[in-house]
């Protein structure tokens, strides 16, 4: 191994690590706010990428029907609840968010021929389909169980993951897809060539991370999420709705996931089940951060990316073994250095 | 009176039923599960097959095994005990075929598998396979390499039995031609990056690289190598012979060289090739029902199983009646005796030691040109 190879591997590791870092942040966010270990995080990666790929192949992505179906289901449940409790004022909001919004997205997708639009518009449409799935899934699967123990939430998360993977196979088929790159540019930096898409990945990750930092530090909603993460009961007493916090965190997680997928789709082939492994590596990163610290999670995810790149060079047959074995020393170290805190119930 | 009439009617129905379905074929395919992309064209093929073989009525009983060995065995048991199957065409994947072989051997029912099988000892007497084994394909690759001055190759394959079997096959075939394997790398089907492996191969700088993957996952190593500027020859295996590979590969896979059953390129075969006629027949049948370019090499393995039966059934009929153990034995012997039968993927010449029966005519070399398959002369 010479310096050039090390630089190339480092570049590859950092680009992959940036994606893992985004997913790790989303996992930490969802866990802190709702205590859900969000296994289906990876599915949003695959859905985002494959929805965009379906546009470019001139097909209508199956995720659109999922959005309409989930919206209808949530609207029905919420309407029944609203009628029962006599709060008819909520109906307007239900119709707007769960029926009008998905139908508007469907109208745009079916009416516009997204494959012929500029790339930015395609990305926006793909996000418009996939991101609303986040809060809808929260409403259907997790909101009724908001007070359940972590283990129950984890089991539900596994169920949601399996359902979404199965639907992904139904929507997109077993074979993978690639999308057109955001930029074909290449830059020669001495010994290393950097392609434009890698810079997009790094740039977008950095912008998202700074954006999240500002969101949590400067906005009312961000502060509400932080408050909920620190003390759920206290936050509720201050008038912060736990349901709102849950939906908002799932929206952010879905958005981060879908965007990650759209970013990596031009540099790798994405399959219906790609998301799980990508998400799992983000999870290893998040574990390094103890599922609470954002900067540690991001750093851990970059470490996972680098480790993956170098181990694929040294021992490609054992790459996954090496990456996932990392979790053991990390867990040992964490259990030795941190005090076990009983879950507040 | 009424009851007697009804009984008469029912018994006549039974007789009629038996007379109608003279030969029963039990078919287990993986229409769902991991091998679904192989099993679906096979299932479609069975739906298009004629209802008679050599003038005898045939009853095709087709079940899905979901690429699951337990379900496959359950299907096989049902075929033998309930349907009184004379022959089993099963299954899509190697593990399910192996599982069904247990039943075939135990009940002395001949089995035609649509997946390559490892050596099975005494049980192998009851199973015949229609796909080319990897060794045959590897020899075709090694010959092409030797003819084009390739002295060293790099290998990158799945970290699973597919990659392992190919590594073994190409190691043997390359040795025979004096070609050296200088780099061996592995990757996973759904890896998002193979930069490390690509760099390792480029550091060894072989004359050619062989990628042992299947379908769209075979694109990533090649795309990475192209992007990193590897200038050697690119070889792939017959696992890439589906349209999705071309769709995802785009310009990155132009010029790729791979071995494949002649059926994929039937139109481009010379008229003298024995597979041209059966392959065109099959393509007409399949694409007539499923649209242009819907052909799949896997569906053709199913059709080849049918072709084997068209040759073996008349022989067996001379010796015994369908539905009896004697007929199953006779059918097994007849299958083993098939000689020079032109099929879509090659020419079958079975023998007691060779239950696949294909020779070098079962592999042609092809390349990707302008986003389509092209036969190499």
């Amino acid at each position: 191994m010479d310096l050039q190879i090390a630089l190339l591997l480092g570049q590859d590791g950092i680009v992959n690590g940036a994606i893992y870092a985004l997913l790790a942040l989303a996992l930490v966010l969802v866990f802190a706010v709702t205590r859900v270990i969000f296994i289906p995080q990876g599915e949003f990666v695959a859905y985002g990428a494959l929805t965009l790929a379906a546009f470019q192949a001139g097909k209508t992505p199956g995720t659109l029907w999922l959005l309409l179906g989930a919206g209808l289901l949530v609207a029905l449940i919420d309407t029944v609840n609203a009628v029962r409790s006599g709060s008819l004022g909520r109906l307007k909001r239900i119709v707007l968010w769960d029926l009008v919004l998905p139908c508007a997205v469907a109208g745009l997708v079916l009416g516009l021929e997204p494959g012929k639009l500029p790339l930015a518009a395609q990305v926006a449409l793909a996000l418009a389909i996939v991101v609303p799935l986040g809060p809808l899934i929260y409403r259907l699967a997790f909101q009724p169980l908001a007070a359940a123990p972590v283990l129950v939430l984890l089991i539900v998360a596994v169920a949601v993951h399996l359902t979404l993977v199965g639907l992904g196979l139904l929507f997109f088929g077993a074979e993978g897809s690639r999308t057109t790159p955001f930029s074909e540019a290449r830059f020669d930096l001495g010994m290393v060539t950097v392609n434009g898409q890698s810079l997009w990945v790094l740039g977008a990750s950095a912008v998202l991370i700074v954006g999240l930092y500002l969101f949590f530090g400067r906005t009312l909603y961000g502060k509400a999420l932080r408050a909920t993460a620190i003390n759920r009961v206290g936050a509720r007493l201050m008038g912060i709705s736990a349901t709102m916090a849950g939906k908002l965190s799932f929206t952010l997680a879905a958005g981060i996931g879908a965007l990650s997928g759209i970013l990596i789709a031009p540099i790798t082939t994405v399959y219906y089940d790609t998301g799980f492994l990508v998400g799992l590596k983000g999870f290893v990163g998040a574990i390094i951060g103890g599922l609470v610290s954002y900067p540690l999670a991001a750093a851990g995810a970059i470490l996972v990316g680098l480790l993956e790149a170098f181990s694929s060079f040294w021992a490609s047959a054992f790459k996954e073994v090496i990456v996932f074995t990392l979790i053991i020393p990390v867990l040992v170290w964490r259990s030795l250095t941190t005090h076990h805190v009983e879950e507040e119930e | 009176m009424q009851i007697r009439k009804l009984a008469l009617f029912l018994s006549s129905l039974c007789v009629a039923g038996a007379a109608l379905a003279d030969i029963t074929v039990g078919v287990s395919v993986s229409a769902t599960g991991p091998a679904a992309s192989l099993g679906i064209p096979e299932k479609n093929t069975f739906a298009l097959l004629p209802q008679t073989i050599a003038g005898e009525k045939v009853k095709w009983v087709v079940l899905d095994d979901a690429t699951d060995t337990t379900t496959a065995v359950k299907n096989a048991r049902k075929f033998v005990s309930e349907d009184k199957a004379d022959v089993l065409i099963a299954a899509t994947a190697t593990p399910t075929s192996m599982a069904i072989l247990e039943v075939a051997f135990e009940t002395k029912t001949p089995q035609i598998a649509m997946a390559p099988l490892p050596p099975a000892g005494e049980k192998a007497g009851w199973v015949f396979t229609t796909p080319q084994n990897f060794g045959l394909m590897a020899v075709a690759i090694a010959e092409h390499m030797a003819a084009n001055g390739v002295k060293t190759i790099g290998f990158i394959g799945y970290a699973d039995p597919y990659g392992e079997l190919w590594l073994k096959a190409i190691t043997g075939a390359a040795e025979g031609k004096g070609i050296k394997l200088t780099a061996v790398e592995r990757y996973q089907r759904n890896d998002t990056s193979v930069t490390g492996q690509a760099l390792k191969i480029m550091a060894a700088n072989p004359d050619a690289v062989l990628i042992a993957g299947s379908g769209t996952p075979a694109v990533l190593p090649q795309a990475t190598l192209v992007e990193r500027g590897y200038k050697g020859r690119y070889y792939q295996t017959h696992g890439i012979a589906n349209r999705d590979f071309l769709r995802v590969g785009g310009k990155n896979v132009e010029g790729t060289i791979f071995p494949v059953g002649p059926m994929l390129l039937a139109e481009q075969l010379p008229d003298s090739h024995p597979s041209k006629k059966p392959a065109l027949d099959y393509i007409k049948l399949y694409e007539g029902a499923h649209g242009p370019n819907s052909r799949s090499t896997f569906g053709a393995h199913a059709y080849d199983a049918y072709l084997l039966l068209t040759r073996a059934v008349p022989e067996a009929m001379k010796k015994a009646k369908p539905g009896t153990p004697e007929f199953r034995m006779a059918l097994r012997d007849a299958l083993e005796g098939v000689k020079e039968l032109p099929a879509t993927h090659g020419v079958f010449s079975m023998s007691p030691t060779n239950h696949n029966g294909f020779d070098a005519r079962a592999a042609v070399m092809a390349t990707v040109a302008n986003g389509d398959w092209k036969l190499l002369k």
Side-chain angles (χ1 to χ4, degrees), chain B residues 117-187:
Chain B
L117 293 185
E122 55 164 357
K123 293 183 190 122
W126 287 89
V127 66
F128 301 83
T129 56
T130 56
Q132 301 86 344
N133 54 39
F134 291 174
L136 197 83
M137 292 301 198
V139 167
I141 292 182
E143 273 171 3
H144 187 273
M145 285 173 169
N148 287 278
V150 172
K151 297 265 180 293
T152 50
I153 49 172
F155 174 93
I156 173 162
Y158 283 168
D160 73 358
Y162 186 85
E164 196 60 45
L165 286 173
W166 259 104
L167 179 60
K168 242 186 230 158
I170 197 68
T171 309
E175 252 171 31
K177 295 281 169 199
I179 300 170
K180 271 218 298 272
L181 212 61
T182 52
V184 174
E185 291 299 314
R186 293 304 173 78
Y187 77 111

Side-chain angles (χ1 to χ4, degrees), chain A residues 35 41 65 80-81 90 99 104 111 122 127 187 197 227 231 279 281 295 302 324 328 338 340 345:
Chain A
R35 295 171 308 128
Q41 177 66 48
W65 312 125
V80 169
N81 284 346
R90 272 196 276 156
L99 292 177
Q122 292 181 13
L127 288 175
F187 306 95
Q197 189 65 31
N231 188 328
K281 284 168 190 160
I302 300 276
F324 290 113
I328 297 173
T338 51
H340 184 63
E345 281 301 332

Side-chain angles (χ1 to χ4, degrees), chain B residues 39-106:
Chain B
I40 291 166
E42 291 172 358
K43 186 172 159 234
N44 292 342
T45 301
F46 285 109
L48 298 170
L49 291 178
Q51 300 299 311
T52 55
I53 289 178
E56 289 297 316
K57 285 266 178 203
V58 180
K59 190 171 144 207
W60 304 96
V61 190
V62 183
L63 291 179
D64 174 22
D65 62 33
T67 327
D68 176 59
T69 48
T70 317
T71 318
V73 170
K74 216 187 292 169
N75 287 351
R77 294 257 173 236
K78 184 190 166 295
F79 293 145
V80 213
S81 57
E82 284 177 33
D83 301 310
K84 308 277 176 243
D86 297 298
V87 55
L88 305 175
I89 299 184
T92 304
T94 299
T96 44
S97 306
M98 296 284 289
I100 286 181
L101 177 55
E102 299 293 327
V103 181
F105 178 70
E106 179 194 312

Side-chain angles (χ1 to χ4, degrees), chain A residues 84-98:
Chain A
R84 269 199 194 144
S85 60
S87 46
L88 294 175
R90 272 196 276 156
L91 280 180
K92 206 160 69 181
R93 215 170 51 191
I94 295 169
V95 169
L96 180 67
W97 283 106
D98 300 333

Side-chain angles (χ1 to χ4, degrees), chain B residues 317-362:
Chain B
M317 294 289 290
K318 287 180 201 157
K319 293 186 192 150
K321 279 234 161 316
T324 60
E326 292 76 28
F327 180 75
R328 297 203 294 270
M329 189 72 204
L331 193 58
R332 192 212 79 87
D333 293 344
L335 282 168
E336 200 167 70
V338 168
K339 289 275 181 286
E340 287 295 316
L341 169 70
T344 66
H345 271 285
V347 182
F348 287 112
S349 280
M350 301 286 183
S351 74
T353 51
N354 185 352
H355 275 197
N356 172 243
F358 276 147
D359 54 22
R361 287 173 288 183

Side-chain angles (χ1 to χ4, degrees), chain A residues 5 8-9 12 16 20 175-178 186 195 268-269 271 273-274 277-278 312-314 316-317 319-320, chain B residues 185-186 188-193 195-197 199-200 203 215-217 219-220 223 227-228 242 244 247-248:
Chain A
I5 289 179
L8 284 170
L9 288 176
D12 185 54
N16 278 329
Y20 300 153
E175 296 288 1
S177 290
R178 275 175 178 239
R186 290 176 153 274
N195 63 22
T268 184
T269 319
Y271 310 91
D273 60 349
T274 294
L277 264 186
V278 179
S312 73
F313 182 82
W314 290 119
S316 57
K319 189 192 76 177
E320 309 291 33
Chain B
E185 291 299 314
R186 293 304 173 78
Q188 307 280 342
R189 192 182 69 86
N190 48 12
D191 269 355
T192 52
S193 163
T195 306
Q197 292 94 320
L199 291 172
K200 194 93 175 267
T216 44
V219 172
L220 184 64
E227 195 175 299
R228 293 284 163 218
N242 77 14
D244 292 302
R247 169 177 63 82
V248 174

Side-chain angles (χ1 to χ4, degrees), chain A residues 156-238:
Chain A
V156 174
V158 171
V160 171
H161 156 70
L162 291 175
T163 313
L164 290 181
V165 169
L167 286 172
L169 178 59
L170 182 69
F171 294 153
F172 304 111
E175 296 288 1
S177 290
R178 275 175 178 239
T179 59
T180 46
F182 295 4
S183 107
E184 298 270 10
R186 290 176 153 274
F187 306 95
D188 274 315
L189 303 175
M191 287 187 283
V192 197
T193 324
V194 181
N195 63 22
Q197 189 65 31
S198 315
L199 294 181
W200 264 100
V201 172
L202 290 178
S205 306
V207 168
L208 263 180
I209 290 171
V210 172
L212 283 174
Y213 176 75
L214 293 177
F215 173 74
F216 286 120
R218 301 285 167 85
T219 66
L220 195 59
Y221 278 103
K223 286 177 180 166
L225 279 188
R226 264 171 65 206
T228 315
I230 293 164
N231 188 328
R232 209 163 293 117
V233 180
R236 266 175 97 168
L237 290 174
M238 294 298 115

